[in-house]
Amino acid sequence: MVSPVRRCSRTACGRPAVATLTYVYADSTAVLGPLATYAEPHCYDLCAEHSERLTAPRGWEVVRLADASAPPRPSGDDLEALANAVREAARPQERRPDPATNRAVDPMEVARRGHLRVLRSPDS
């Protein structure tokens, strides 16, 4: 019986494959990307450990393609933007009463239709 899980192509490694390695001989490049949909005879499936430790022959370049299915890691810019948004939300907002309805109006609000509001861009 054959296992439906693809295994690492490295000798004596039985771990599940998570990445596919392809060599582009014309460009002297090794391309390591997400696990291919189908097992190809000219490609090598690698487990997480072997894909992290991959090195190429001298004079070759390794290109690591990002896995689109993996959750993206937050960058420094993402964390800074999140911190700025939290600071902005914590600031007390000045609310002026609307002369027509005598209710407090959000200064960021541009228009209102029922319970929906159109807000001004924070950049403007």
Side-chain angles (χ1 to χ4, degrees):
M1 183 171 185
V2 176
S3 170
V5 177
R6 287 172 34 197
R7 302 286 176 191
C8 184
S9 298
R10 296 291 300 259
T11 306
C13 181
R15 290 185 287 264
V18 297
T20 299
L21 171 66
T22 306
Y23 290 107
V24 182
Y25 293 98
D27 297 331
S28 299
T29 305
V31 181
L32 184 66
L35 188 63
T37 308
Y38 300 102
E40 298 283 338
H42 60 278
C43 297
Y44 302 93
D45 294 336
L46 299 176
C47 65
E49 181 181 343
H50 286 122
S51 63
E52 288 173 9
R53 295 187 330 183
L54 175 74
T55 59
R58 184 175 295 151
W60 282 55
E61 181 182 0
V62 176
V63 175
R64 295 179 186 269
L65 302 176
D67 183 2
S69 65
R73 294 183 140 182
S75 70
D77 291 340
D78 293 337
L79 295 175
E80 186 175 346
L82 179 60
N84 290 338
V86 169
R87 284 187 204 105
E88 182 67 29
R91 282 191 195 129
Q93 295 290 324
E94 176 188 327
R95 294 184 168 244
R96 300 167 277 144
D98 183 9
T101 61
N102 205 19
R103 290 191 336 218
V105 175
D106 187 349
M108 295 297 289
E109 187 175 312
V110 175
R112 178 182 286 268
R113 180 176 237 164
H115 67 282
L116 301 175
R117 299 183 309 158
V118 178
L119 299 178
R120 182 181 342 270
S121 171
D123 299 332
S124 57

